[in-house]
Amino acid sequence: MERHTGSDQSSARRDPSLDTPRPWDTAPEPAHEDTRALIRELPRMFALVRGGDDEETVAEVVAYGLALPGGTATTVGANGHGFGLWRSADSAAWRLHSDLVWLGEDTVRPDGTEGSLS
């Protein structure tokens, strides 16, 4: 009598879940208009700077931040310590007694045009 223990079967069984399409495999490319809508909702980078009012004073970066699409802003100290959540980038600058400097405003956008991301 011949016995089969199952060891002679192929160990390379195919997982049936690999045959089902995944959303990221079948999702259509976003239309140009959809991409433009996303670009308008990107956070904007800024720096908070203190000093540098005259030739003798050196400007100091106090913090770096992101202005979020909803209007709020976050900051982290230039030394990497301290985190702030603010009502706006202007509010952060006022509370930290510094000047607001927008970063990356004259960059090339992902859609190939030049200018502000907002």
Side-chain angles (χ1 to χ4, degrees):
M1 178 176 196
E2 188 176 354
R3 268 180 102 172
H4 292 277
T5 61
S7 62
D8 60 341
Q9 295 179 0
S10 172
S11 61
R13 291 184 181 165
R14 179 121 175 101
D15 183 355
S17 68
L18 296 176
D19 296 331
T20 57
R22 293 179 174 86
W24 55 84
D25 292 335
T26 60
E29 290 290 323
H32 182 69
E33 294 168 6
D34 294 339
T35 304
R36 291 184 64 154
L38 289 173
I39 291 170
R40 288 187 189 119
E41 295 299 318
L42 290 176
R44 295 173 60 197
M45 298 182 301
F46 64 89
L48 300 178
V49 180
R50 191 179 300 147
D53 297 333
D54 54 36
E55 292 179 17
E56 297 175 14
T57 307
V58 177
E60 170 192 10
V61 175
V62 176
Y64 296 100
L66 287 175
L68 303 173
T72 60
T74 62
T75 57
V76 63
N79 61 3
H81 299 286
F83 179 84
L85 179 60
W86 311 93
R87 290 182 185 213
S88 67
D90 290 318
S91 174
W94 181 77
R95 296 288 302 260
L96 296 175
H97 308 288
S98 56
D99 295 317
L100 176 62
V101 178
W102 292 104
L103 304 176
E105 290 295 302
D106 294 325
T107 59
V108 176
R109 299 187 315 189
D111 65 359
T113 59
E114 291 185 6
S116 173
L117 293 175
S118 60

